[in-house]
Amino acid sequence: MGTEVFSLQDKVALVTGAGQGIGLEIAKALRSAGAHVVIGEINPETGKAAAEQVEGDFLPLDVTDSAAVADGVARIVADHGRIDVSVHNAGMVRNEPAEEMSDESWRRVVGLNLDGVFYCSREVGKQMLAQGAGSIINIASMSGMISNHPQPQVSYNASKAGVIMLTKSLAGEWARRGVRVNSISPGYTGTDLLLGVQNTQPEWFNGWMEQTPMGRAGRPEELGPVAVFLASEASSFVTGSNVVADGGFTIW
């Protein structure tokens, strides 16, 4: 068995929240493996720029709107005939004490991080089940496994724990029908958000690095090959798994 099992040649892949950061790096990696990539992004400026980088398509997409998700999936199928890979990356975090968190703030985070992943999984799942094949990759977080310190982020932690269990549940339902569902749980990764914390709250950042066995933040591009593995035939016997890429943070 050679490297051809990692090939995504002629596959059609959707990546949500791919205008920047982790989503963009995953989109680049899928393109490098041969896939035609559709950038699902709510921000038209970053979305169009990302689509140009990967020589793919830009799909304006608000994943919290289930009707918009259904329309977006239908558009991809109309344009390309199928969806082989779908990476659900769109998400957000708010650092707020639980006792001060409003209903709106809670719903905003959970609505994007969990509801959005379900809406996307449900719609692409219908198409993949009809095809008899497909790979869904949900971007969770190590925060779905541990409670981060010292920042208060109960809505983020709860939503990402939900993504991990959603992944396992869908994998169990669809395993015998050709659709694999897995998740990736990154640790602290050097996106613009993390670099902003490094500048504004260095005590938080330095503490996180001290707690990471590898002593550094991850690089967004380090997650791309993980997604290629889960998207390709290299992981043909892998479903319901949560691949943790956190520099060892959760082992202590």
Side-chain angles (χ1 to χ4, degrees), residues 3-14 25-38 54-56 80 84-85 224 227-229 231-232:
T3 58
E4 68 274 6
V5 295
F6 293 96
S7 174
L8 297 175
Q9 191 66 40
D10 300 325
K11 301 294 185 181
V12 178
L14 167 66
E25 293 302 327
I26 287 176
K28 290 178 181 178
L30 297 179
R31 177 69 187 109
S32 294
H36 180 86
V37 180
V38 179
V54 300
E55 302 175 303
H80 302 287
D84 301 291
V85 179
V228 170
F229 167 69
S232 69

Side-chain angles (χ1 to χ4, degrees), residues 54-249:
V54 300
E55 302 175 303
D57 300 336
F58 167 56
L59 175 70
L61 186 62
D62 177 359
V63 301
T64 68
D65 182 339
S66 61
V69 172
D71 289 344
V73 170
R75 177 176 159 184
I76 295 171
V77 174
D79 290 345
H80 302 287
R82 59 189 299 112
I83 300 177
D84 301 291
V85 179
S86 196
V87 182
H88 306 145
N89 168 75
M92 66 177 298
V93 63
R94 286 184 174 175
N95 298 134
E96 300 172 297
E99 71 275 15
E100 299 174 9
M101 186 175 296
S102 67
D103 292 354
E104 183 280 331
S105 182
W106 170 268
R107 282 301 327 153
R108 176 65 178 146
V109 174
V110 175
L112 178 57
N113 292 2
L114 182 55
D115 295 352
V117 170
F118 173 69
Y119 296 154
C120 290
S121 296
R122 178 178 63 187
E123 294 307 318
V124 299
K126 292 175 185 177
Q127 175 61 30
M128 290 177 176
L129 289 168
Q131 297 168 183
S135 175
I136 292 172
I137 304 168
N138 296 322
I139 305 303
S141 171
M142 70 173 185
S143 302
M145 305 163 58
I146 52 98
S147 178
N148 301 66
H149 178 78
Q151 70 273 32
Q153 54 181 51
V154 63
S155 56
Y156 184 81
N157 297 351
S159 67
K160 292 301 187 177
V163 169
I164 294 170
M165 185 50 68
L166 172 67
T167 297
K168 292 179 180 293
S169 299
L170 293 176
E173 289 191 32
W174 296 342
R176 296 197 178 191
R177 301 166 70 186
V179 179
R180 297 186 296 109
V181 190
N182 294 287
S183 60
I184 301 173
S185 282
Y188 292 110
T189 305
T191 60
D192 289 343
L193 178 63
L194 186 72
L195 297 177
V197 173
Q198 183 180 11
N199 294 328
T200 60
Q201 294 175 292
E203 69 282 1
W204 283 16
F205 180 85
N206 292 336
W208 299 337
M209 296 305 100
E210 289 173 2
Q211 295 175 66
T212 302
M214 291 184 72
R216 66 171 177 88
R219 297 185 296 273
E221 61 268 24
E222 290 180 303
L223 297 171
V226 182
V228 170
F229 167 69
L230 292 175
S232 69
E233 284 301 303
S235 61
S236 58
F237 198 52
V238 179
T239 196
S241 291
N242 179 45
V243 180
V244 182
D246 65 354
F249 191 96

